[in-house]
Amino acid sequence: MDSRDAFVHDDEVSGADARHWLQCLPGTVYVTDSAWWLGELRFVADSIDALGHRPATDYLSQPELWLAQIPESERRPLLERLQQALTEGELTARLSYVIERRDGSECQVDDSISIQRDADGEVVTLIGFLQPRLPAAPANDDGLSPQSLLDHSGDVILALDEDMECHYAAGNTQGALGVSAASLLSTSLFGLMAPEDGSRVRRLLIEGAAEASSPMVELRLRHRDGVYRWFEIHFSPYPLPLGQTLEPPVMPGWVAIARDITQRRHQSLQWNAYTATDELTSALNREPFMGLMRHAFASGDTGARFTLIVFDVDHFSDINRDWGREGGDLVLSCIGEMCRATLRERFSFGRLGDDSFALLMSGKSLQETATIADKLRGRLASTRVEFHGHWLSFSVSLGVAERRSDETAEAMLARAEAGMQNAKQRGRDRVQQAP
């Protein structure tokens, strides 16, 4: 659910906690009907006093006061820009204008507006976020201002609230995500993440907030072209201003610096595949495969489901004796091809020993995995391998196990291997569940 929905319900801002949260944001939140400051003002934070030098109660009773403080020369173009956004179906609008105060001073304001529409596309609510625009920093000796440097950065710089909703964006957003910085405003970073990354990142950020640490996370974000790209994001917490009576403190916001590492990750995977896989079967060698299991168990959700198939070739020593090492290698190569075809994820396939293998499954039940194992058993048993004019046949015995709560990779493997040994004792060429 969009975080704004928690604040606006039945045309009212509800709940003391929600009001307090809105009051504590590093800017001024306001909520109006579809007519902006010409209509009904439903909520405005007390911090508007710092911008307009009038208390919030004045604007609540007379919303038009805010519009009256905008110079007449700016007012008409401003209203025309907003009306264009409303009539053309836009979901956000970014306005910048001057507020003239009663004492003659002026304040430059940035106004980020989220346009809430009903199922028919009609505008029902406008939620605005006002921030004073800081004076431009003087250019340095090279003629570049800090803002210019940010805009030309190869990274993406984001200011996010505790719900990961973006309130500021700069840097190479176009190259990294295919969108402008302005289009990211009011967008939740969780909405751009690959679904399976969201809960892991949320957990890491909660831990980082509790420890006041700055986590570095690798995750996938969706580019405008629909393809997910890999990013390395450094999250630095910054505390939101809090009232004295709120306990415990709310979760901090975040400054995030995101770097596109898609190419680097692909190169790394290619190198790892070259150095960590068995040349004959293209399976991961034992230690890399065990490392994969440990990493999957450590980085997965507490409720993530993992199952394991372990198998070896029945009477493999006889195959090597009767047909030589070349015949045995041909059988192993055939097994590698069939296992890679069975699994979508290449690196979920490992070679544990001379003729023993393992398949790691994610999101499957024990019964589903046993069914997959039996199909694989049947395919291998019906396979005939041609070798110097002769046809070699072979079978495998398989054990399957589902990971228990907090079980280590080594313990799960030992149980699956016990199931495999049980299958051999029961006559081979069969699937047996782990004890």
Side-chain angles (χ1 to χ4, degrees):
M1 181 177 69
D2 192 300
S3 61
R4 292 183 295 268
D5 294 341
F7 304 139
V8 182
H9 180 65
D10 291 338
D11 296 338
E12 293 182 3
V13 177
S14 61
D17 290 343
R19 288 176 178 273
H20 185 90
W21 194 94
L22 292 170
Q23 296 287 7
C24 291
L25 285 174
T28 300
V29 175
Y30 67 89
V31 182
T32 74
D33 62 14
S34 60
W36 202 42
W37 294 90
L38 290 170
E40 177 190 359
L41 180 61
R42 299 169 181 171
F43 174 85
V44 63
D46 293 336
S47 55
I48 197 169
D49 183 277
L51 300 176
H53 286 191
R54 287 179 179 271
T57 52
D58 283 3
Y59 295 111
L60 285 168
S61 60
Q62 302 178 73
E64 65 277 6
L65 287 177
W66 180 258
L67 199 63
Q69 288 183 261
I70 302 174
E72 190 172 352
S73 59
E74 293 190 31
R75 201 179 307 156
R76 184 179 181 86
L78 204 65
L79 291 171
E80 289 177 348
R81 167 68 189 96
L82 179 59
Q83 186 60 39
Q84 179 185 15
L86 299 179
T87 56
E88 294 185 0
E90 297 180 27
L91 299 179
T92 60
R94 183 77 177 267
L95 308 176
S96 182
Y97 49 87
V98 170
I99 289 295
E100 295 178 336
R101 298 156 170 162
R102 285 182 291 185
D103 62 4
S105 63
E106 294 183 347
C107 177
Q108 184 79 25
V109 174
D110 284 330
D111 192 348
S112 301
I113 302 174
S114 175
I115 303 171
Q116 306 291 294
R117 301 177 182 271
D118 61 19
D120 297 323
E122 296 297 321
V123 179
V124 293
T125 305
L126 301 178
I127 303 175
F129 188 70
L130 302 168
Q131 290 181 295
R133 174 175 290 186
L134 299 177
N140 58 22
D141 293 340
D142 296 326
L144 292 174
S145 68
Q147 183 61 46
S148 175
L149 291 173
L150 286 176
D151 290 339
H152 289 85
S153 168
D155 298 334
V156 176
I157 299 95
L158 304 171
L160 309 165
D161 65 20
E162 73 274 22
D163 291 321
M164 302 295 283
E165 187 172 307
C166 179
H167 291 286
Y168 174 81
N172 188 26
T173 60
Q174 193 69 48
L177 296 169
V179 297
S180 66
S183 68
L184 290 174
L185 298 177
S186 299
T187 298
S188 171
L189 197 64
F190 284 128
L192 296 177
M193 289 182 199
E196 54 268 36
D197 288 344
S199 57
R200 173 176 61 90
V201 172
R202 189 185 300 274
R203 185 182 72 249
L204 291 173
L205 291 181
I206 291 174
E207 293 173 356
E211 300 171 1
S213 61
S214 300
M216 181 81 77
V217 182
E218 289 190 5
L219 53 84
R220 289 161 293 173
L221 297 179
R222 187 178 62 253
H223 191 274
R224 186 179 180 180
D225 61 12
V227 176
Y228 283 104
R229 297 189 180 185
W230 279 97
F231 287 83
E232 178 183 79
I233 304 185
H234 186 194
F235 291 93
S236 296
Y238 69 90
L240 296 173
L242 300 177
Q244 298 297 318
T245 60
L246 188 61
E247 292 291 342
V250 297
M251 188 174 171
W254 301 92
V255 174
I257 301 177
R259 176 166 297 177
D260 189 337
I261 61 168
T262 304
Q263 184 177 4
R264 185 183 83 190
R265 189 174 177 89
H266 285 171
Q267 290 173 343
S268 175
L269 287 176
Q270 290 168 1
W271 173 250
N272 288 341
Y274 176 76
T275 58
T277 57
D278 169 54
E279 184 177 353
L280 183 63
T281 63
S282 296
L284 282 174
N285 290 319
R286 184 183 182 94
E287 284 308 310
F289 180 78
M290 295 304 296
L292 170 76
M293 287 184 64
R294 296 185 197 103
H295 176 75
F297 292 177
S299 61
D301 298 338
T302 55
R305 203 168 201 175
F306 294 100
T307 49
L308 185 66
I309 302 173
V310 174
F311 68 93
D312 70 7
V313 182
D314 295 330
H315 303 298
F316 187 67
S317 59
D318 293 345
I319 295 176
N320 279 332
R321 182 195 63 206
D322 296 340
W323 304 102
R325 185 61 182 263
E326 289 185 9
D329 285 351
L330 189 60
V331 168
L332 297 178
S333 177
C334 175
I335 289 175
E337 290 180 7
M338 289 197 175
C339 287
R340 291 196 304 275
T342 300
L343 287 181
R344 294 181 180 179
E345 294 293 337
R346 176 184 178 188
F347 299 132
S348 298
F349 173 40
R351 184 177 181 183
L352 305 181
D354 285 346
D355 66 321
S356 60
F357 299 89
L359 306 175
L360 179 65
M361 305 283 185
S362 175
K364 301 289 186 184
S365 69
L366 183 61
Q367 187 59 47
E368 289 172 326
T369 302
T371 300
I372 293 172
D374 194 56
K375 288 181 179 178
L376 179 62
R377 180 206 58 76
R379 289 186 62 188
L380 293 174
S382 62
T383 298
R384 299 293 181 268
V385 181
E386 184 179 7
F387 180 67
H388 296 311
H390 298 276
W391 293 98
L392 307 185
S393 61
F394 61 94
S395 65
V396 296
S397 298
L398 308 95
V400 295
E402 182 172 7
R403 189 194 181 206
R404 294 169 177 168
S405 178
D406 297 326
E407 186 175 35
T408 65
E410 289 76 11
M412 184 182 183
L413 175 61
R415 287 197 305 111
E417 288 178 330
M420 178 184 70
Q421 293 301 324
N422 195 359
K424 288 183 175 296
Q425 293 168 5
R426 290 172 177 263
R428 295 184 168 84
D429 190 20
R430 66 182 61 233
V431 176
Q432 194 67 37
Q433 294 185 9

PDB file of all heavy atoms in Angstrom, residues 281 311 313 330-340 349 355 357 376 380 394 396:
ATOM      1  N   THR A 281      31.320 -31.613 -16.472  1.00  0.00           N
ATOM      2  CA  THR A 281      29.866 -31.536 -16.310  1.00  0.00           C
ATOM      3  C   THR A 281      29.332 -30.114 -16.220  1.00  0.00           C
ATOM      4  O   THR A 281      28.117 -29.907 -16.218  1.00  0.00           O
ATOM      5  CB  THR A 281      29.434 -32.281 -15.031  1.00  0.00           C
ATOM      6  OG1 THR A 281      30.012 -31.624 -13.899  1.00  0.00           O
ATOM      7  CG2 THR A 281      29.897 -33.726 -15.074  1.00  0.00           C
ATOM      8  N   PHE A 311      22.592 -37.378  -5.441  1.00  0.00           N
ATOM      9  CA  PHE A 311      22.556 -38.686  -6.094  1.00  0.00           C
ATOM     10  C   PHE A 311      23.943 -39.079  -6.579  1.00  0.00           C
ATOM     11  O   PHE A 311      24.826 -38.228  -6.744  1.00  0.00           O
ATOM     12  CB  PHE A 311      21.559 -38.688  -7.260  1.00  0.00           C
ATOM     13  CG  PHE A 311      21.949 -37.822  -8.427  1.00  0.00           C
ATOM     14  CD1 PHE A 311      22.665 -38.345  -9.498  1.00  0.00           C
ATOM     15  CD2 PHE A 311      21.583 -36.489  -8.469  1.00  0.00           C
ATOM     16  CE1 PHE A 311      23.014 -37.569 -10.583  1.00  0.00           C
ATOM     17  CE2 PHE A 311      21.941 -35.687  -9.548  1.00  0.00           C
ATOM     18  CZ  PHE A 311      22.644 -36.225 -10.614  1.00  0.00           C
ATOM     19  N   VAL A 313      25.914 -42.361  -9.217  1.00  0.00           N
ATOM     20  CA  VAL A 313      25.678 -43.368 -10.258  1.00  0.00           C
ATOM     21  C   VAL A 313      25.805 -44.759  -9.638  1.00  0.00           C
ATOM     22  O   VAL A 313      26.794 -45.065  -8.958  1.00  0.00           O
ATOM     23  CB  VAL A 313      26.680 -43.199 -11.411  1.00  0.00           C
ATOM     24  CG1 VAL A 313      26.390 -44.223 -12.515  1.00  0.00           C
ATOM     25  CG2 VAL A 313      26.622 -41.780 -11.968  1.00  0.00           C
ATOM     26  N   LEU A 330      31.955 -40.173 -20.279  1.00  0.00           N
ATOM     27  CA  LEU A 330      30.824 -39.938 -21.175  1.00  0.00           C
ATOM     28  C   LEU A 330      29.509 -39.995 -20.399  1.00  0.00           C
ATOM     29  O   LEU A 330      28.589 -39.180 -20.626  1.00  0.00           O
ATOM     30  CB  LEU A 330      30.832 -40.976 -22.295  1.00  0.00           C
ATOM     31  CG  LEU A 330      29.836 -40.730 -23.443  1.00  0.00           C
ATOM     32  CD1 LEU A 330      30.108 -39.401 -24.117  1.00  0.00           C
ATOM     33  CD2 LEU A 330      29.932 -41.876 -24.465  1.00  0.00           C
ATOM     34  N   VAL A 331      29.401 -40.930 -19.451  1.00  0.00           N
ATOM     35  CA  VAL A 331      28.208 -41.017 -18.614  1.00  0.00           C
ATOM     36  C   VAL A 331      28.061 -39.756 -17.767  1.00  0.00           C
ATOM     37  O   VAL A 331      26.968 -39.175 -17.657  1.00  0.00           O
ATOM     38  CB  VAL A 331      28.278 -42.272 -17.716  1.00  0.00           C
ATOM     39  CG1 VAL A 331      27.197 -42.217 -16.625  1.00  0.00           C
ATOM     40  CG2 VAL A 331      28.124 -43.528 -18.551  1.00  0.00           C
ATOM     41  N   LEU A 332      29.162 -39.294 -17.165  1.00  0.00           N
ATOM     42  CA  LEU A 332      29.115 -38.092 -16.324  1.00  0.00           C
ATOM     43  C   LEU A 332      28.754 -36.851 -17.138  1.00  0.00           C
ATOM     44  O   LEU A 332      27.994 -35.986 -16.684  1.00  0.00           O
ATOM     45  CB  LEU A 332      30.459 -37.886 -15.630  1.00  0.00           C
ATOM     46  CG  LEU A 332      30.888 -38.990 -14.653  1.00  0.00           C
ATOM     47  CD1 LEU A 332      32.261 -38.678 -14.084  1.00  0.00           C
ATOM     48  CD2 LEU A 332      29.860 -39.156 -13.539  1.00  0.00           C
ATOM     49  N   SER A 333      29.284 -36.774 -18.346  1.00  0.00           N
ATOM     50  CA  SER A 333      28.956 -35.639 -19.211  1.00  0.00           C
ATOM     51  C   SER A 333      27.475 -35.632 -19.565  1.00  0.00           C
ATOM     52  O   SER A 333      26.828 -34.575 -19.594  1.00  0.00           O
ATOM     53  CB  SER A 333      29.796 -35.701 -20.487  1.00  0.00           C
ATOM     54  OG  SER A 333      29.455 -34.650 -21.364  1.00  0.00           O
ATOM     55  N   CYS A 334      26.924 -36.805 -19.803  1.00  0.00           N
ATOM     56  CA  CYS A 334      25.486 -36.924 -20.097  1.00  0.00           C
ATOM     57  C   CYS A 334      24.657 -36.469 -18.898  1.00  0.00           C
ATOM     58  O   CYS A 334      23.652 -35.763 -19.044  1.00  0.00           O
ATOM     59  CB  CYS A 334      25.162 -38.356 -20.471  1.00  0.00           C
ATOM     60  SG  CYS A 334      23.408 -38.680 -20.717  1.00  0.00           S
ATOM     61  N   ILE A 335      25.076 -36.853 -17.684  1.00  0.00           N
ATOM     62  CA  ILE A 335      24.369 -36.425 -16.462  1.00  0.00           C
ATOM     63  C   ILE A 335      24.402 -34.906 -16.335  1.00  0.00           C
ATOM     64  O   ILE A 335      23.397 -34.272 -15.993  1.00  0.00           O
ATOM     65  CB  ILE A 335      25.017 -37.099 -15.236  1.00  0.00           C
ATOM     66  CG1 ILE A 335      24.686 -38.590 -15.221  1.00  0.00           C
ATOM     67  CG2 ILE A 335      24.540 -36.432 -13.946  1.00  0.00           C
ATOM     68  CD1 ILE A 335      25.387 -39.359 -14.118  1.00  0.00           C
ATOM     69  N   GLY A 336      25.554 -34.289 -16.621  1.00  0.00           N
ATOM     70  CA  GLY A 336      25.654 -32.833 -16.547  1.00  0.00           C
ATOM     71  C   GLY A 336      24.675 -32.139 -17.469  1.00  0.00           C
ATOM     72  O   GLY A 336      24.011 -31.174 -17.088  1.00  0.00           O
ATOM     73  N   GLU A 337      24.564 -32.636 -18.702  1.00  0.00           N
ATOM     74  CA  GLU A 337      23.643 -32.025 -19.662  1.00  0.00           C
ATOM     75  C   GLU A 337      22.199 -32.121 -19.178  1.00  0.00           C
ATOM     76  O   GLU A 337      21.425 -31.152 -19.269  1.00  0.00           O
ATOM     77  CB  GLU A 337      23.777 -32.716 -21.018  1.00  0.00           C
ATOM     78  CG  GLU A 337      25.086 -32.434 -21.729  1.00  0.00           C
ATOM     79  CD  GLU A 337      25.168 -33.152 -23.067  1.00  0.00           C
ATOM     80  OE1 GLU A 337      24.143 -33.742 -23.476  1.00  0.00           O
ATOM     81  OE2 GLU A 337      26.250 -33.130 -23.682  1.00  0.00           O
ATOM     82  N   MET A 338      21.796 -33.273 -18.661  1.00  0.00           N
ATOM     83  CA  MET A 338      20.412 -33.455 -18.214  1.00  0.00           C
ATOM     84  C   MET A 338      20.103 -32.621 -16.973  1.00  0.00           C
ATOM     85  O   MET A 338      18.996 -32.088 -16.833  1.00  0.00           O
ATOM     86  CB  MET A 338      20.144 -34.933 -17.948  1.00  0.00           C
ATOM     87  CG  MET A 338      20.077 -35.762 -19.203  1.00  0.00           C
ATOM     88  SD  MET A 338      19.307 -37.361 -18.935  1.00  0.00           S
ATOM     89  CE  MET A 338      19.258 -37.978 -20.625  1.00  0.00           C
ATOM     90  N   CYS A 339      21.054 -32.506 -16.049  1.00  0.00           N
ATOM     91  CA  CYS A 339      20.814 -31.708 -14.840  1.00  0.00           C
ATOM     92  C   CYS A 339      20.708 -30.224 -15.170  1.00  0.00           C
ATOM     93  O   CYS A 339      19.881 -29.506 -14.610  1.00  0.00           O
ATOM     94  CB  CYS A 339      21.922 -31.949 -13.825  1.00  0.00           C
ATOM     95  SG  CYS A 339      21.827 -33.563 -13.031  1.00  0.00           S
ATOM     96  N   ARG A 340      21.530 -29.749 -16.094  1.00  0.00           N
ATOM     97  CA  ARG A 340      21.451 -28.327 -16.480  1.00  0.00           C
ATOM     98  C   ARG A 340      20.117 -28.039 -17.159  1.00  0.00           C
ATOM     99  O   ARG A 340      19.566 -26.948 -17.033  1.00  0.00           O
ATOM    100  CB  ARG A 340      22.614 -27.964 -17.395  1.00  0.00           C
ATOM    101  CG  ARG A 340      23.966 -27.963 -16.694  1.00  0.00           C
ATOM    102  CD  ARG A 340      25.015 -27.224 -17.520  1.00  0.00           C
ATOM    103  NE  ARG A 340      25.147 -27.762 -18.862  1.00  0.00           N
ATOM    104  CZ  ARG A 340      25.911 -28.802 -19.190  1.00  0.00           C
ATOM    105  NH1 ARG A 340      26.613 -29.411 -18.233  1.00  0.00           N
ATOM    106  NH2 ARG A 340      25.997 -29.219 -20.432  1.00  0.00           N
ATOM    107  N   PHE A 349      23.660 -26.416  -9.373  1.00  0.00           N
ATOM    108  CA  PHE A 349      24.064 -27.787  -9.706  1.00  0.00           C
ATOM    109  C   PHE A 349      25.525 -27.973  -9.300  1.00  0.00           C
ATOM    110  O   PHE A 349      26.395 -27.217  -9.722  1.00  0.00           O
ATOM    111  CB  PHE A 349      23.873 -27.996 -11.207  1.00  0.00           C
ATOM    112  CG  PHE A 349      24.404 -29.299 -11.745  1.00  0.00           C
ATOM    113  CD1 PHE A 349      24.268 -30.486 -11.031  1.00  0.00           C
ATOM    114  CD2 PHE A 349      25.026 -29.332 -12.978  1.00  0.00           C
ATOM    115  CE1 PHE A 349      24.755 -31.681 -11.545  1.00  0.00           C
ATOM    116  CE2 PHE A 349      25.503 -30.518 -13.503  1.00  0.00           C
ATOM    117  CZ  PHE A 349      25.373 -31.697 -12.776  1.00  0.00           C
ATOM    118  N   ASP A 355      31.432 -39.387  -8.785  1.00  0.00           N
ATOM    119  CA  ASP A 355      30.170 -39.718  -9.457  1.00  0.00           C
ATOM    120  C   ASP A 355      28.957 -39.278  -8.641  1.00  0.00           C
ATOM    121  O   ASP A 355      27.855 -39.778  -8.849  1.00  0.00           O
ATOM    122  CB  ASP A 355      30.086 -41.217  -9.742  1.00  0.00           C
ATOM    123  CG  ASP A 355      30.010 -42.045  -8.464  1.00  0.00           C
ATOM    124  OD1 ASP A 355      30.706 -41.690  -7.495  1.00  0.00           O
ATOM    125  OD2 ASP A 355      29.249 -43.034  -8.435  1.00  0.00           O
ATOM    126  N   PHE A 357      26.450 -36.033  -7.167  1.00  0.00           N
ATOM    127  CA  PHE A 357      26.013 -34.700  -7.564  1.00  0.00           C
ATOM    128  C   PHE A 357      24.926 -34.201  -6.612  1.00  0.00           C
ATOM    129  O   PHE A 357      24.338 -34.972  -5.851  1.00  0.00           O
ATOM    130  CB  PHE A 357      25.461 -34.726  -8.995  1.00  0.00           C
ATOM    131  CG  PHE A 357      26.465 -35.166 -10.019  1.00  0.00           C
ATOM    132  CD1 PHE A 357      26.615 -36.512 -10.330  1.00  0.00           C
ATOM    133  CD2 PHE A 357      27.258 -34.239 -10.673  1.00  0.00           C
ATOM    134  CE1 PHE A 357      27.538 -36.931 -11.274  1.00  0.00           C
ATOM    135  CE2 PHE A 357      28.195 -34.640 -11.618  1.00  0.00           C
ATOM    136  CZ  PHE A 357      28.333 -35.994 -11.922  1.00  0.00           C
ATOM    137  N   LEU A 376      13.877 -37.031 -12.959  1.00  0.00           N
ATOM    138  CA  LEU A 376      15.274 -37.075 -13.373  1.00  0.00           C
ATOM    139  C   LEU A 376      15.788 -38.520 -13.367  1.00  0.00           C
ATOM    140  O   LEU A 376      16.493 -38.956 -14.287  1.00  0.00           O
ATOM    141  CB  LEU A 376      16.118 -36.201 -12.443  1.00  0.00           C
ATOM    142  CG  LEU A 376      17.622 -36.163 -12.721  1.00  0.00           C
ATOM    143  CD1 LEU A 376      17.914 -35.600 -14.099  1.00  0.00           C
ATOM    144  CD2 LEU A 376      18.338 -35.328 -11.644  1.00  0.00           C
ATOM    145  N   LEU A 380      17.282 -40.490 -16.689  1.00  0.00           N
ATOM    146  CA  LEU A 380      18.628 -41.058 -16.723  1.00  0.00           C
ATOM    147  C   LEU A 380      18.592 -42.566 -16.946  1.00  0.00           C
ATOM    148  O   LEU A 380      19.417 -43.131 -17.689  1.00  0.00           O
ATOM    149  CB  LEU A 380      19.372 -40.721 -15.425  1.00  0.00           C
ATOM    150  CG  LEU A 380      19.694 -39.237 -15.205  1.00  0.00           C
ATOM    151  CD1 LEU A 380      20.299 -39.016 -13.827  1.00  0.00           C
ATOM    152  CD2 LEU A 380      20.632 -38.722 -16.296  1.00  0.00           C
ATOM    153  N   PHE A 394      22.770 -46.799 -17.564  1.00  0.00           N
ATOM    154  CA  PHE A 394      23.129 -46.631 -16.156  1.00  0.00           C
ATOM    155  C   PHE A 394      21.904 -46.153 -15.386  1.00  0.00           C
ATOM    156  O   PHE A 394      20.883 -45.764 -15.970  1.00  0.00           O
ATOM    157  CB  PHE A 394      24.276 -45.628 -15.997  1.00  0.00           C
ATOM    158  CG  PHE A 394      23.950 -44.237 -16.503  1.00  0.00           C
ATOM    159  CD1 PHE A 394      23.462 -43.265 -15.644  1.00  0.00           C
ATOM    160  CD2 PHE A 394      24.111 -43.924 -17.850  1.00  0.00           C
ATOM    161  CE1 PHE A 394      23.156 -41.996 -16.106  1.00  0.00           C
ATOM    162  CE2 PHE A 394      23.795 -42.655 -18.324  1.00  0.00           C
ATOM    163  CZ  PHE A 394      23.318 -41.686 -17.449  1.00  0.00           C
ATOM    164  N   VAL A 396      20.704 -44.156 -11.339  1.00  0.00           N
ATOM    165  CA  VAL A 396      21.189 -43.384 -10.192  1.00  0.00           C
ATOM    166  C   VAL A 396      20.262 -43.622  -9.004  1.00  0.00           C
ATOM    167  O   VAL A 396      19.083 -43.955  -9.170  1.00  0.00           O
ATOM    168  CB  VAL A 396      21.249 -41.860 -10.497  1.00  0.00           C
ATOM    169  CG1 VAL A 396      22.247 -41.569 -11.600  1.00  0.00           C
ATOM    170  CG2 VAL A 396      19.868 -41.318 -10.857  1.00  0.00           C
TER     171      VAL A 396
END
